[in-house]
Short mmCIF file of all heavy atoms in Angstrom, two decimals:
data_model
loop_
_atom_site.label_atom_id
_atom_site.label_comp_id
_atom_site.label_asym_id
_atom_site.label_seq_id
_atom_site.Cartn_x
_atom_site.Cartn_y
_atom_site.Cartn_z
N ASN A 167 -50.64 -59.70 33.17
CA ASN A 167 -51.38 -59.87 31.94
C ASN A 167 -52.82 -60.07 32.13
O ASN A 167 -53.54 -60.53 31.08
CB ASN A 167 -50.75 -60.97 31.09
CG ASN A 167 -49.44 -60.60 30.47
OD1 ASN A 167 -49.39 -60.27 29.19
ND2 ASN A 167 -48.35 -60.62 31.19
N SER A 168 -53.39 -59.87 33.37
CA SER A 168 -54.69 -60.12 33.58
C SER A 168 -55.71 -59.03 32.98
O SER A 168 -55.17 -57.91 32.75
CB SER A 168 -54.98 -60.12 35.14
OG SER A 168 -56.30 -60.20 35.45
N ASP A 169 -56.79 -59.43 32.54
CA ASP A 169 -57.76 -58.55 31.98
C ASP A 169 -58.43 -57.68 33.12
O ASP A 169 -59.04 -56.63 32.88
CB ASP A 169 -58.91 -59.21 31.22
CG ASP A 169 -58.34 -59.69 29.95
OD1 ASP A 169 -57.57 -58.99 29.23
OD2 ASP A 169 -58.80 -60.82 29.47
N VAL A 170 -58.28 -58.06 34.36
CA VAL A 170 -58.78 -57.39 35.55
C VAL A 170 -57.56 -57.25 36.52
O VAL A 170 -57.31 -58.03 37.41
CB VAL A 170 -59.89 -58.15 36.22
CG1 VAL A 170 -60.41 -57.30 37.35
CG2 VAL A 170 -61.06 -58.47 35.22
N LEU A 171 -56.99 -56.03 36.31
CA LEU A 171 -55.69 -55.85 37.11
C LEU A 171 -56.03 -54.79 38.25
O LEU A 171 -56.21 -53.68 38.02
CB LEU A 171 -54.56 -55.29 36.22
CG LEU A 171 -53.17 -55.30 36.70
CD1 LEU A 171 -52.69 -56.66 37.16
CD2 LEU A 171 -52.19 -54.60 35.71
N CYS A 172 -55.89 -55.31 39.42
CA CYS A 172 -56.29 -54.55 40.53
C CYS A 172 -55.00 -53.68 41.04
O CYS A 172 -53.92 -54.30 41.38
CB CYS A 172 -56.72 -55.33 41.84
SG CYS A 172 -56.90 -54.50 43.34
N PRO A 173 -55.02 -52.32 41.08
CA PRO A 173 -53.83 -51.58 41.49
C PRO A 173 -53.31 -52.01 42.91
O PRO A 173 -52.08 -51.93 43.11
CB PRO A 173 -54.35 -50.18 41.44
CG PRO A 173 -55.44 -50.13 40.54
CD PRO A 173 -56.04 -51.47 40.57
N ASP A 174 -54.22 -52.30 43.83
CA ASP A 174 -53.69 -52.69 45.14
C ASP A 174 -52.98 -54.08 45.07
O ASP A 174 -51.84 -54.17 45.85
CB ASP A 174 -54.85 -52.83 46.11
CG ASP A 174 -55.54 -51.39 46.58
OD1 ASP A 174 -54.86 -50.48 46.23
OD2 ASP A 174 -56.68 -51.43 47.03
N GLU A 175 -53.35 -54.87 44.28
CA GLU A 175 -52.63 -56.15 44.23
C GLU A 175 -51.28 -56.00 43.45
O GLU A 175 -50.32 -56.63 43.83
CB GLU A 175 -53.49 -57.17 43.27
CG GLU A 175 -54.66 -57.65 44.14
CD GLU A 175 -55.52 -58.62 43.31
OE1 GLU A 175 -55.34 -58.77 42.14
OE2 GLU A 175 -56.54 -59.18 43.84
N VAL A 176 -51.27 -55.12 42.53
CA VAL A 176 -50.02 -54.80 41.79
C VAL A 176 -49.05 -54.12 42.88
O VAL A 176 -47.81 -54.50 42.91
CB VAL A 176 -50.21 -53.81 40.65
CG1 VAL A 176 -48.80 -53.50 39.97
CG2 VAL A 176 -51.06 -54.57 39.62
N ALA A 177 -49.49 -53.25 43.70
CA ALA A 177 -48.71 -52.65 44.73
C ALA A 177 -48.20 -53.66 45.68
O ALA A 177 -46.98 -53.64 46.12
CB ALA A 177 -49.48 -51.60 45.44
N SER A 178 -49.00 -54.73 46.07
CA SER A 178 -48.66 -55.69 46.87
C SER A 178 -47.41 -56.51 46.20
O SER A 178 -46.45 -56.96 46.95
CB SER A 178 -49.78 -56.67 47.23
OG SER A 178 -49.40 -57.75 48.02
N ALA A 179 -47.66 -56.85 44.98
CA ALA A 179 -46.57 -57.65 44.26
C ALA A 179 -45.32 -56.88 44.22
O ALA A 179 -44.21 -57.42 44.34
CB ALA A 179 -47.02 -57.95 42.86
N CYS A 180 -45.35 -55.43 44.12
CA CYS A 180 -44.13 -54.58 44.05
C CYS A 180 -43.58 -54.62 45.37
O CYS A 180 -42.30 -54.55 45.60
CB CYS A 180 -44.60 -53.23 43.56
SG CYS A 180 -44.94 -53.14 41.90
N ARG A 181 -44.22 -54.65 46.45
CA ARG A 181 -43.68 -54.65 47.85
C ARG A 181 -42.91 -55.91 48.04
O ARG A 181 -41.90 -56.05 48.60
CB ARG A 181 -44.70 -54.48 48.95
CG ARG A 181 -45.29 -53.10 49.07
CD ARG A 181 -46.09 -52.86 50.34
NE ARG A 181 -47.44 -53.57 50.18
CZ ARG A 181 -48.61 -53.01 49.70
NH1 ARG A 181 -48.49 -51.79 49.20
NH2 ARG A 181 -49.63 -53.76 49.57
N ARG A 182 -43.46 -57.09 47.54
CA ARG A 182 -42.88 -58.37 47.65
C ARG A 182 -41.57 -58.36 46.83
O ARG A 182 -40.49 -58.91 47.25
CB ARG A 182 -43.77 -59.49 47.21
CG ARG A 182 -43.05 -60.85 47.02
CD ARG A 182 -42.62 -61.31 48.53
NE ARG A 182 -41.84 -62.58 48.32
CZ ARG A 182 -42.31 -63.91 48.32
NH1 ARG A 182 -43.64 -64.01 48.28
NH2 ARG A 182 -41.52 -64.88 48.13
N LEU A 183 -41.52 -57.80 45.60
CA LEU A 183 -40.36 -57.66 44.78
C LEU A 183 -39.27 -56.91 45.59
O LEU A 183 -38.09 -57.26 45.58
CB LEU A 183 -40.67 -56.95 43.47
CG LEU A 183 -41.28 -57.77 42.37
CD1 LEU A 183 -41.99 -56.92 41.40
CD2 LEU A 183 -40.24 -58.59 41.68
N LYS A 184 -39.68 -55.72 46.16
CA LYS A 184 -38.67 -55.01 46.96
C LYS A 184 -38.20 -55.75 48.04
O LYS A 184 -36.87 -55.69 48.40
CB LYS A 184 -39.38 -53.67 47.42
CG LYS A 184 -38.46 -52.75 48.17
CD LYS A 184 -39.19 -51.50 48.57
CE LYS A 184 -38.18 -50.49 49.17
NZ LYS A 184 -38.91 -49.08 49.54
N ALA A 185 -38.97 -56.60 48.84
CA ALA A 185 -38.49 -57.35 49.83
C ALA A 185 -37.54 -58.41 49.42
O ALA A 185 -36.69 -58.82 50.14
CB ALA A 185 -39.71 -57.95 50.62
N ASP A 186 -37.62 -58.80 48.14
CA ASP A 186 -36.78 -59.76 47.62
C ASP A 186 -35.56 -59.21 47.00
O ASP A 186 -34.76 -59.77 46.18
CB ASP A 186 -37.52 -60.65 46.56
CG ASP A 186 -38.41 -61.67 47.09
OD1 ASP A 186 -38.26 -61.95 48.26
OD2 ASP A 186 -39.32 -62.17 46.36
N GLY A 187 -35.25 -57.94 47.24
CA GLY A 187 -34.02 -57.24 46.87
C GLY A 187 -34.18 -56.57 45.51
O GLY A 187 -33.07 -56.15 44.85
N VAL A 188 -35.31 -56.51 44.78
CA VAL A 188 -35.35 -55.90 43.53
C VAL A 188 -35.72 -54.51 43.68
O VAL A 188 -36.62 -53.99 44.30
CB VAL A 188 -36.60 -56.73 42.72
CG1 VAL A 188 -36.63 -56.12 41.32
CG2 VAL A 188 -36.32 -58.18 42.64
N GLY A 189 -35.03 -53.67 42.86
CA GLY A 189 -35.19 -52.27 42.85
C GLY A 189 -35.98 -51.64 41.64
O GLY A 189 -36.44 -50.56 41.70
N GLY A 190 -36.09 -52.53 40.52
CA GLY A 190 -36.86 -52.02 39.37
C GLY A 190 -37.11 -53.14 38.52
O GLY A 190 -36.40 -54.22 38.38
N ILE A 191 -38.23 -53.16 37.72
CA ILE A 191 -38.56 -54.16 36.77
C ILE A 191 -39.24 -53.52 35.45
O ILE A 191 -39.57 -52.31 35.53
CB ILE A 191 -39.58 -55.17 37.34
CG1 ILE A 191 -41.00 -54.47 37.59
CG2 ILE A 191 -39.17 -55.85 38.60
CD1 ILE A 191 -42.14 -55.42 37.74
N LEU A 192 -39.23 -54.38 34.47
CA LEU A 192 -40.03 -53.98 33.36
C LEU A 192 -41.27 -54.91 33.44
O LEU A 192 -41.03 -56.08 33.15
CB LEU A 192 -39.33 -54.10 31.96
CG LEU A 192 -38.12 -53.15 31.80
CD1 LEU A 192 -37.70 -53.23 30.34
CD2 LEU A 192 -38.36 -51.75 32.17
N ALA A 193 -42.46 -54.36 33.55
CA ALA A 193 -43.70 -55.24 33.50
C ALA A 193 -43.82 -55.70 32.06
O ALA A 193 -43.76 -54.96 31.02
CB ALA A 193 -44.85 -54.47 33.91
#
């Protein structure tokens, strides 16, 4: 929900989600 959302940071969060066993989310 940030007004300044960096695509690289979002990709990093998605990699962490995947490492935590998550295969899909709804942002």
